[in-house]
Amino acid sequence: MRIALDVMGGDLAPKINLEGALSAKAEFPSDVQIVLVGSKTAIEQGLQELGVAIDSFEIVHAEEVIGMGEHPTKAISQKQNSSIVVGYKLLATKGVDVLCSAGNTGAMLVGAMFSIKPIEGIIRPGIAGFIPQTSGKYSILLDVGANADVKPEVLNQFAEMGSLYANYLFGTKNAKVGLVSVGEEEEKGNLVTQAAHQLIKNNKSVNFVGNLEGRDILTDKADVIICDGFTGNVILKMAESLYTIFAERDYVTPFTSLFNWKNVGGSPILGVNGNVVIGHGSSDGIAIKNMLHLAKQLVDSDITSKIQKAYS
Amino acid sequence: MRIALDVMGGDLAPKINLEGALSAKAEFPSDVQIVLVGSKTAIEQGLQELGVAIDSFEIVHAEEVIGMGEHPTKAISQKQNSSIVVGYKLLATKGVDVLCSAGNTGAMLVGAMFSIKPIEGIIRPGIAGFIPQTSGKYSILLDVGANADVKPEVLNQFAEMGSLYANYLFGTKNAKVGLVSVGEEEEKGNLVTQAAHQLIKNNKSVNFVGNLEGRDILTDKADVIICDGFTGNVILKMAESLYTIFAERDYVTPFTSLFNWKNVGGSPILGVNGNVVIGHGSSDGIAIKNMLHLAKQLVDSDITSKIQKAYS
């Protein structure tokens, strides 16, 4: 397996990306290779500073960097030699099995749409987040930001893609899928949610447990929690803030640690022709390491092929 | 001041409503009267069981009860002798200064629209929730469920009404107003939020601090947090669930207790011609007592007149 890491992505790049790559390499089986994408000079210098031989990793040079604040579409089309675009070229040509980056989220999303493209039949890809549950596991929250406005049909596809992913992650054939709304009854919710409820309820490939209220989001009511990317982004970021809030109060437990996004590492894009993980801009070495583990797991899950087959 | 309490509203009515009324009466100044609305027989029997003289409270008889699961519009039009409709008649005729109920939320909302009606110029009234902040205070979250789908103009009015209410509550003239979105930049968000951002930014009666992300909702970025009723409902109920989640882990602190909805007591409707507080269906005596305190505070704030003046 070959995992491409955008070494230039994130607020603390390239140093922490290299640290994370080094930690992950030590934990990975020998048949998992990390391919570092970015400025060859910066990478070699960084590795030397870490006291690591520069031939420890395969390096793919990329001259340019897309900044965190750049306009995604503009940056992707103008910076063809950026680490993100070069990374996507590797992914599109099967040079690597998965691409991960803690860089500009929008650029990562636009890059996926332009290079590997959405799977045929998928209206809109979504970004999957991991939301802690009281049982100690994570549920999948989809979408967490790719689509602020959605059609009901898009939510129905999120339910399908989320099920496929959750079935692998949780070793089940029957992952429970819930729809975020404002009441249990199917007529509750905004117009999009009400229509989506009917589609998902009648979707035989989904084990639909019905609407979830805000109070059900952290309490193991569903393995897959479906909503538009606006609501999902607000939910995920609010949950993430809890770790800091409670850590500042010296309350750190295995449960509160689930809310620490550094332990999750990133969010996969579901519904594109390739494996992609987007990390947090403020990732540190631990977050990068966990992003690489998540990337490996995404390849192991074979989720991209499964979605392609489901829509073929 | 006269506060009407729907004694028949809520899952544990009428017993806990009477307990709550009794506790509040003991704490209120003598010029604050609680008017009990509901079945005279049930109220008198309940008071006797509590060992309280039946003339301790003014009782306004209402023969019928609107159940928690009844269809709001149908129930309000068909049950003219229900405690909610009788309560609204009292409010509309100025027989009381405020109405509160832990009964059917939808019926309370429809009752307000039919009897006291929206303030002229208000497109849609909203329900104000109270969301804990790390500083130990609450911010106002508006809307928490009256309007699952909104127009940008409605969010702009929420910003205005929320400011007026927050200025009273926090003793300021310049309450900070934030708009829930998925990024700080004004072009981030769903279409409604992007348009609302421009309206609120250019609204001179609002001290707009810009977009709030999920991570900013609990961290004192704003005194008034504006969003559609779908997002707000999810945020509020998710926050409320945290109290139970942490209490089950024996972690109860002054901060986590802010998340206990029983300490808040209820949610005022803003934008109608009268003071109304909606309580939680599963309220206990403490929650009812706190709902009555909130009702008193709502009258003290004179918020209804202030909104009426602002739109006259």
Side-chain angles (χ1 to χ4, degrees):
Chain A
M1 184 190 305
R2 288 162 59 80
I3 300 175
L5 172 66
D6 167 18
V7 179
M8 315 312 282
D11 301 330
L12 307 169
K15 186 166 180 286
I16 56 92
N17 297 44
L18 296 174
E19 288 174 6
L22 207 60
S23 307
K25 184 183 163 73
E27 293 173 4
F28 280 157
S30 59
D31 63 342
V32 177
Q33 314 295 329
I34 300 171
V35 179
L36 305 178
V37 184
S39 155
K40 197 161 185 289
T41 318
I43 293 171
E44 288 180 352
Q45 189 184 326
L47 289 175
Q48 275 172 340
E49 283 170 12
L50 289 170
V52 181
I54 57 167
D55 60 356
S56 307
F57 292 92
E58 185 180 330
I59 299 171
V60 173
H61 178 64
E63 190 64 37
E64 297 169 295
V65 178
I66 294 178
M68 296 304 272
E70 287 192 58
H71 187 276
T73 315
K74 212 166 145 182
I76 286 289
S77 57
Q78 292 179 352
K79 291 189 169 173
Q80 284 292 307
N81 295 313
S82 63
S83 52
I84 288 179
V85 173
V86 171
Y88 271 117
K89 283 178 187 162
L90 281 174
L91 186 65
T93 57
K94 315 284 182 201
V96 293
D97 300 294
V98 55
L99 169 65
C100 43
S101 172
N104 185 314
T105 300
M108 280 297 287
L109 201 56
V110 171
M113 302 299 275
F114 282 10
S115 70
I116 53 174
K117 296 191 169 64
I119 290 170
E120 212 180 312
I122 292 290
I123 310 165
R124 293 282 308 170
I127 301 178
F130 296 92
I131 182 97
Q133 301 297 305
T134 47
S135 63
K137 78 168 189 68
Y138 289 99
S139 287
I140 295 167
L141 180 65
L142 182 68
D143 174 26
V144 298
N147 311 276
D149 291 284
V150 297
K151 294 179 196 171
E153 293 75 15
V154 171
L155 293 177
N156 188 36
Q157 290 194 338
F158 288 168
E160 293 171 342
M161 293 195 290
S163 293
L164 290 169
Y165 191 34
N167 283 347
Y168 170 80
L169 288 182
F170 307 126
T172 174
K173 288 185 174 179
N174 228 358
K176 291 182 291 178
V177 176
L179 177 67
V180 176
S181 190
V182 297
E184 287 178 9
E185 306 84 351
E186 61 183 52
E187 70 276 11
K188 289 283 176 75
N190 54 28
L191 297 173
V192 168
T193 303
Q194 288 175 43
H197 185 110
Q198 296 307 318
L199 295 176
I200 304 174
K201 192 174 80 169
N202 294 308
N203 187 332
K204 283 179 183 145
S205 65
V206 173
N207 176 21
F208 187 44
V209 297
N211 285 350
L212 304 176
E213 295 187 66
R215 67 171 67 96
D216 305 321
I217 286 171
L218 304 173
T219 56
D220 292 280
K221 294 286 164 64
D223 303 307
V224 183
I225 300 173
I226 299 302
C227 58
D228 63 81
F230 185 89
T231 309
N233 189 278
V234 172
I235 289 172
L236 187 68
K237 286 181 180 162
M238 186 171 149
E240 286 175 358
S241 76
L242 293 174
Y243 176 74
T244 314
I245 288 171
F246 288 111
E248 282 170 356
R249 285 160 177 74
D250 293 325
Y251 182 64
V252 177
T253 69
F255 177 64
T256 64
S257 296
L258 296 174
F259 290 84
N260 184 354
W261 58 263
K262 291 179 185 175
N263 292 335
V264 177
S267 294
I269 305 180
L270 297 184
V272 290
N273 291 298
N275 300 311
V276 182
V277 179
I278 303 176
H280 229 282
S282 45
S283 288
D284 62 7
I286 292 170
I288 297 289
K289 185 195 79 171
N290 287 325
M291 176 165 71
L292 290 163
H293 275 285
L294 179 63
K296 176 181 178 301
Q297 188 195 52
L298 197 66
V299 179
D300 287 335
S301 76
D302 203 22
I303 182 66
T304 298
S305 303
K306 284 174 184 160
I307 298 174
Q308 286 167 334
K309 273 178 208 151
Y311 287 87
S312 68
Chain B
M1 184 188 305
R2 288 162 59 78
I3 300 175
L5 172 66
D6 167 17
V7 179
M8 315 311 281
D11 301 330
L12 306 171
K15 188 167 178 287
I16 56 92
N17 297 45
L18 295 175
E19 287 174 10
L22 207 61
S23 307
K25 184 183 163 74
E27 292 173 6
F28 279 158
S30 59
D31 63 341
V32 177
Q33 313 295 329
I34 300 171
V35 179
L36 305 178
V37 184
S39 155
K40 196 161 186 286
T41 317
I43 293 171
E44 287 182 350
Q45 190 184 326
L47 289 175
Q48 273 172 339
E49 282 168 12
L50 290 169
V52 181
I54 57 168
D55 59 355
S56 306
F57 292 93
E58 184 180 331
I59 300 171
V60 173
H61 178 64
E63 190 63 36
E64 297 169 295
V65 178
I66 294 177
M68 296 303 274
E70 286 192 58
H71 187 278
T73 315
K74 212 167 144 183
I76 286 289
S77 58
Q78 292 179 352
K79 290 189 169 172
Q80 284 292 307
N81 295 313
S82 62
S83 52
I84 289 179
V85 174
V86 171
Y88 271 117
K89 283 178 189 164
L90 280 174
L91 187 64
T93 57
K94 314 283 182 200
V96 294
D97 299 293
V98 54
L99 169 65
C100 42
S101 173
N104 185 314
T105 299
M108 281 297 288
L109 201 55
V110 170
M113 302 299 275
F114 283 10
S115 69
I116 53 174
K117 297 193 169 64
I119 289 169
E120 211 179 315
I122 292 292
I123 310 165
R124 295 280 310 168
I127 301 179
F130 296 92
I131 183 98
Q133 302 296 306
T134 47
S135 63
K137 78 168 189 69
Y138 290 99
S139 287
I140 295 167
L141 180 65
L142 183 66
D143 175 24
V144 297
N147 311 277
D149 291 285
V150 296
K151 295 179 195 168
E153 293 75 15
V154 171
L155 292 177
N156 188 37
Q157 290 194 339
F158 288 168
E160 294 171 341
M161 292 195 291
S163 293
L164 290 170
Y165 190 34
N167 283 347
Y168 169 81
L169 288 182
F170 307 127
T172 174
K173 288 185 175 181
N174 227 358
K176 292 183 291 180
V177 177
L179 177 67
V180 176
S181 190
V182 298
E184 286 177 11
E185 306 85 351
E186 61 183 49
E187 70 276 13
K188 290 282 175 77
N190 54 27
L191 297 173
V192 168
T193 304
Q194 289 174 44
H197 186 108
Q198 296 307 317
L199 295 177
I200 303 174
K201 192 175 79 170
N202 294 308
N203 187 332
K204 282 177 184 149
S205 64
V206 173
N207 176 21
F208 188 44
V209 297
N211 285 351
L212 305 177
E213 295 187 67
R215 68 172 64 95
D216 305 320
I217 287 172
L218 304 173
T219 55
D220 291 281
K221 295 283 165 63
D223 303 306
V224 183
I225 300 174
I226 299 301
C227 58
D228 64 79
F230 185 90
T231 310
N233 189 278
V234 172
I235 290 172
L236 188 67
K237 286 182 180 162
M238 186 172 150
E240 287 176 355
S241 77
L242 293 173
Y243 176 73
T244 313
I245 288 171
F246 287 111
E248 282 169 357
R249 285 160 175 75
D250 292 327
Y251 182 64
V252 176
T253 69
F255 177 64
T256 65
S257 297
L258 296 175
F259 291 83
N260 184 354
W261 56 264
K262 291 179 186 175
N263 293 335
V264 176
S267 294
I269 305 178
L270 297 186
V272 289
N273 291 298
N275 300 312
V276 181
V277 180
I278 302 176
H280 228 281
S282 45
S283 288
D284 61 6
I286 293 169
I288 297 289
K289 184 195 80 172
N290 288 324
M291 176 166 69
L292 290 163
H293 275 285
L294 180 62
K296 175 180 179 302
Q297 188 195 53
L298 198 66
V299 179
D300 286 335
S301 76
D302 203 22
I303 181 66
T304 298
S305 303
K306 284 174 184 159
I307 298 174
Q308 286 168 333
K309 271 178 211 151
Y311 287 87
S312 67

